[in-house]
Each structure stands twice: as C-alpha cells, then as structure tokens.
Amino acid sequence: MIKLTMIKEILQIGDPILVTKTNPVKDTQSTEVKKVIRDLLDTCHKNADISAGLAAPQIGYNMSICVCRRVDLEAKDEQLDEEKLWTVLINPHVVKESHKNTLEWEACLSIGRGDDNLWGPVERPKKVTVNYVDIDGMPQTIEAIDYFGHIVQHEIDHLAGVLFISYITNPSNLWRLVDLNNYIDKNDSYPDIE
Ligand SMILES: [Zn+2]
C-alpha cells in the first residue's frame, strides 16, 4: 500500500494565524483531528534535520495540537522510531513550573527560512509539568526539563499565539543561523547576551 504523506508549507511570521490563540480540540478522535496530526507528523519527519517541534497554527490549522521532539530521549542515545521521537500533545496546559529558570538558544521554523532562520536566547522555567490528551484520546501528564522543557513550552506558546521572539527584549540578541554558526565556529561558544 502506498502511504500518502502531506508535507505542509510552514507559515511565516506576519501571518495572523501565528499570533492567534487556538481553539481547544473537542473530539480528539475526529477525522479532521487525525488529518491535522498526520500533517504535523509528516511535516516534522520531512524537516527532521532542522525541527524540534511544530504546532498546528504553523501549518494553518487553528487547533490546540502540537508535536514535540523527544530530545531528552535522543540524548540518552535511545534508538527511537519515528513514533517515539515525536510526541503529539492535544490541548496541552502547563500545570506546574519550577522557580528556577534556564536559558537556551531557540529558533522557530516560522521565523526565517534556511540561513535566515532567526535564533535568540530565551529564559524559561527549567522544569514544567504538562497535562494533555494523547492521540488515543487518553489524558496524560509529562514532565519536561531543560532543552526538552524549552521545546514543550515553545510549542505550547504557539497554541496561545505567542512567538519566542516576544521574550527577546534587545534585538541585538537575535542572530541569523548562518551568522550564529560562524560565530560559534570562531569562538567555540554562543555570543554574550546584550
Ligand atoms: Zn516555533
């Protein structure tokens, strides 16, 4: 059987849907929801070399669904199949967050393509607890820490219409991917934060 995949175009900043709060999903098992999840996963697989996650509004759907890459499991060298590598969160909510913050460099597939993809340092709670509904319609809880925690919070922000650049008060902290890579090659570290 031929498996048809649907790679969606990733919408770019300036599109109003990216700054619009999404609607919660009512019927998680509907055909429409399953199609959105399939499109999100197909688009993540296609962009696997540059993607850490994706939210439904980024491919044009006003729905509270996102996909997060399990970088925490990858870091443990676990052999992950595609299903385990990408976790689908439906109607996710942060129910608990640590007082301690961590800083990570983030980027977003909706903010610049290729060399022009923008990166910047973002401070977020180090650890969050998130309630969500999984693809089978079952309520779940996940704890997300450090870089994985940033991914989960970044994607949940998308569902509220919030982009990571909102947290960057000084534009001189935003770097184009190509310039950031050159800087890191030369200095063996990320740039100082202004
Ligand atoms: Zn993003």
Side-chain angles (χ1 to χ4, degrees):
M1 195 171 83
I2 298 167
K3 192 179 149 214
L4 295 173
T5 57
M6 183 57 81
I7 316 299
K8 302 287 282 189
E9 185 198 348
I10 296 173
L11 302 176
Q12 293 295 298
I13 189 168
D15 192 311
I17 196 171
L18 292 173
V19 288
T20 303
K21 188 178 177 345
T22 54
N23 296 316
V25 173
K26 290 200 182 93
D27 178 4
T28 61
Q29 301 305 295
S30 72
T31 312
E32 190 191 12
V33 165
K34 286 190 186 297
K35 179 184 162 28
V36 172
I37 291 170
R38 194 67 255 157
D39 287 355
L40 280 168
L41 288 170
D42 286 346
T43 308
C44 280
H45 297 161
K46 168 70 176 20
N47 292 288
D49 52 335
I50 51 168
S51 176
L54 196 63
Q58 292 180 277
I59 54 169
Y61 298 111
N62 182 320
M63 278 189 206
S64 184
I65 308 174
C66 62
V67 173
C68 295
R69 186 181 189 127
R70 294 301 308 260
V71 293
D72 54 332
L73 300 181
E74 278 185 295
K76 290 179 195 156
D77 267 348
E78 289 189 24
Q79 286 293 331
L80 297 173
D81 54 34
E82 284 190 339
E83 229 167 84
K84 284 194 184 133
L85 181 60
W86 304 97
T87 293
V88 177
L89 311 182
I90 303 172
N91 298 339
H93 288 286
V94 174
V95 291
K96 196 173 154 194
E97 58 186 40
S98 61
H99 294 297
K100 196 176 167 196
N101 285 349
T102 45
L103 190 135
E104 299 279 356
W105 283 73
E106 294 187 19
C108 182
L109 293 177
S110 291
I111 306 179
R113 293 187 174 109
D115 285 350
D116 291 328
N117 189 220
L118 283 186
W119 286 72
V122 179
E123 204 175 301
R124 298 184 187 270
K126 180 181 171 66
K127 179 175 160 184
V128 288
T129 307
V130 172
N131 286 353
Y132 67 99
V133 177
D134 70 15
I135 50 171
D136 299 316
M138 300 303 293
Q140 303 287 352
T141 299
I142 192 170
E143 279 190 348
I145 303 169
D146 294 327
Y147 183 41
F148 179 57
H150 275 246
I151 292 171
V152 169
Q153 292 175 78
H154 176 122
E155 299 309 330
I156 292 177
D157 271 354
H158 271 299
L159 304 177
V162 174
L163 300 172
F164 85 92
I165 51 169
S166 316
Y167 301 114
I168 294 176
T169 48
N170 185 343
S172 58
N173 292 324
L174 282 171
W175 288 68
R176 293 169 67 233
L177 174 63
V178 64
D179 296 329
L180 182 62
N181 278 340
N182 285 340
Y183 183 97
I184 293 170
D185 279 349
K186 256 187 219 147
N187 300 279
D188 213 21
S189 70
Y190 281 92
D192 287 336
I193 295 161
E194 314 252 331

